[in-house]
Amino acid sequence: LLRFYYLCSMIEFKEIPEWWAVCAQTDCPRSGECLRHQAFKQIPDEEKTWPCVLPQAMKDGECPCYVKPERLKMARGFSNISSKVRARAIRKTIRLRITEYLGSKGSYYRYRDGERLLSPEQQQWILRLLESYDCPTEGFFTQFVEVFDFRRLP
């Protein structure tokens, strides 16, 4: 329980996606252990509107919107692609495949430069791609950071 409170105290407002529903229900029996309620407590007074879980979500003491706080190991950047993939032709092919996977050239550069974080699933896809071309994978990503998992939606 102590670890949970420590984890939740680490939530920062800037981490909370604008689309993610928070919960203001202080009378909920699980509010102290719910990421939605802990995120609600981080919203500054300057904010006047935010998506939220409505009180009627609670049925028979259970809330389908409850989210257990979990941290994800996200990768920030992979700008050292040139040093990891020596052959120019293979490097170009890998860059094109990653660009296609990430959605666009602009997205590729935002992920490559660390402006966007790569999820564990995206990291695995990229590493499998490198392995399929017999490229080294060790140290491919620039750095790793742990963030709360706000991907889940009920």
Side-chain angles (χ1 to χ4, degrees):
L1 193 61
L2 211 53
R3 184 178 183 281
F4 171 79
Y5 286 113
Y6 174 72
L7 269 178
C8 285
S9 68
M10 296 172 55
I11 298 172
E12 292 185 37
F13 173 66
K14 65 182 180 184
E15 285 184 75
I16 305 167
E18 293 176 358
W19 51 264
W20 204 72
V22 298
C23 180
Q25 306 304 313
T26 56
D27 60 342
C28 173
R30 296 183 86 182
S31 65
E33 61 184 54
C34 180
L35 184 58
R36 292 189 187 283
H37 185 72
Q38 300 307 313
F40 162 74
K41 293 180 356 183
Q42 298 305 313
I43 296 177
D45 292 340
E46 300 82 52
E47 295 293 327
K48 301 302 179 210
T49 62
W50 202 272
C52 71
V53 174
L54 298 174
Q56 55 263 41
M58 179 73 74
K59 297 283 186 217
D60 301 321
E62 290 294 315
C63 180
C65 299
Y66 167 79
V67 176
K68 180 182 176 183
E70 294 179 354
R71 309 262 301 164
L72 292 174
K73 186 177 178 181
M74 306 285 273
R76 173 172 281 141
F78 53 92
S79 56
N80 56 358
I81 190 168
S82 295
S83 64
K84 295 294 179 184
V85 184
R86 296 272 181 211
R88 181 175 286 179
I90 293 174
R91 187 169 55 238
K92 183 177 179 180
T93 301
I94 289 174
R95 190 177 66 240
L96 288 172
R97 300 256 334 260
I98 294 173
T99 299
E100 184 178 278
Y101 175 70
L102 296 176
S104 71
K105 199 173 186 178
S107 288
Y108 170 87
Y109 287 109
R110 283 188 279 285
Y111 282 107
R112 186 200 69 180
D113 297 341
E115 293 174 32
R116 288 188 183 166
L117 300 177
L118 291 154
S119 71
E121 296 81 12
Q122 291 170 317
Q123 295 168 44
Q124 287 305 310
W125 188 93
I126 291 170
L127 294 176
R128 281 194 305 272
L129 175 68
L130 291 170
E131 289 169 352
S132 73
Y133 286 95
D134 293 324
C135 296
T137 58
E138 186 69 32
F140 182 76
F141 299 109
T142 307
Q143 79 176 120
F144 292 94
V145 295
E146 282 198 358
V147 299
F148 282 99
D149 186 359
F150 288 103
R151 300 176 303 168
R152 293 164 292 163
L153 284 175

